[in-house]
Amino acid sequence: MPKPLTIAMPKGRIFEEAAGLMQQAGYDLLTDQEDSRKLILDFPEQNLRIMMAKPMDVVTYVEYGTADIGIAGKDVLLEQDRDVYEVLDLGISPCYIAVAGLPDQPLSRIAPKIATKYPKVAADYFREQGEQIEIIPLNGSIELAPLIGLADRIVDIVSTGRTLRENGLVEYEKITEITSRLIVNPVSFRLKSDEIDEMVRQLSIVIGEEVK
Ligand code: PRP
């Protein structure tokens, strides 16, 4: 039996959509186990191994080759700039990264503070705008920062817009659209090309994309 194809799947809200897509592509990953705390799930009959990873860490597992393939948000790929191949836009979990803050607050003061869990994306964006800013890195609940006076703006994911609305914040600029991508380790891409090509082909059919 060849070594299983290992896929790093994002835990949490993207998992169900990503697993659903794999299911439609003929890879049956939807089991009762998804509710368990197990982090490694084996599917010997399909020669697949699933690693349940934090979305921000999927790219790390794929870059180091501990996973051959991963499903990662474009937000993570932009922020981390890792050595992995991005082979398919799966179109799932659409959202965008935006600049937001309290309403009617022009960015006037020198080096305004920008709270974000995307320091690179935020720094790149404001550099392109010619704005000098100070980044305040946070890990979550970013919307707190302008409410308590820690930051003038946030750079964060907007999905439904509910978090901004319920915290009285408004969007100032959209930075970039985000969807989940299929990523591949460059060595696996060569060594397991048959299995990986087949998976890309099946997923492409499901999402209605032509394989290049
Ligand atoms: C994300 C993001 C926003 C929220 C946007 O946070 O950082 O806070 O979702 O979604 P919405 O537009 O549908 O309200 P997440 O729930 O991942 O948690 P976090 O605050 O810990 O980052």
Side-chain angles (χ1 to χ4, degrees), residues 13 117-118 139-143 154 156-165:
R13 63 168 92 178
K117 61 179 168 196
Y118 300 100
N139 287 310
S141 301
I142 314 295
E143 291 81 0
I154 60 170
D156 199 18
I157 293 283
V158 180
S159 177
T160 60
R162 194 173 155 199
T163 311
L164 290 182
R165 262 194 319 278

Side-chain angles (χ1 to χ4, degrees), residues 132-197:
Q132 222 189 342
I133 52 138
E134 180 186 338
I135 299 277
I136 303 187
L138 293 175
N139 287 310
S141 301
I142 314 295
E143 291 81 0
L144 256 181
L147 298 177
I148 55 170
L150 177 67
D152 303 287
R153 292 277 192 273
I154 60 170
V155 166
D156 199 18
I157 293 283
V158 180
S159 177
T160 60
R162 194 173 155 199
T163 311
L164 290 182
R165 262 194 319 278
E166 292 193 3
N167 289 289
L169 301 176
V170 295
E171 197 180 304
Y172 281 94
E173 293 120 38
K174 188 179 278 191
I175 298 183
T176 184
E177 302 279 350
I178 302 294
T179 46
S180 295
R181 312 296 165 103
L182 190 75
I183 58 170
V184 180
N185 172 272
V187 176
S188 303
F189 196 72
R190 272 190 291 113
L191 296 184
K192 298 186 175 177
S193 60
D194 288 352
E195 294 151 275
I196 292 174
D197 284 352

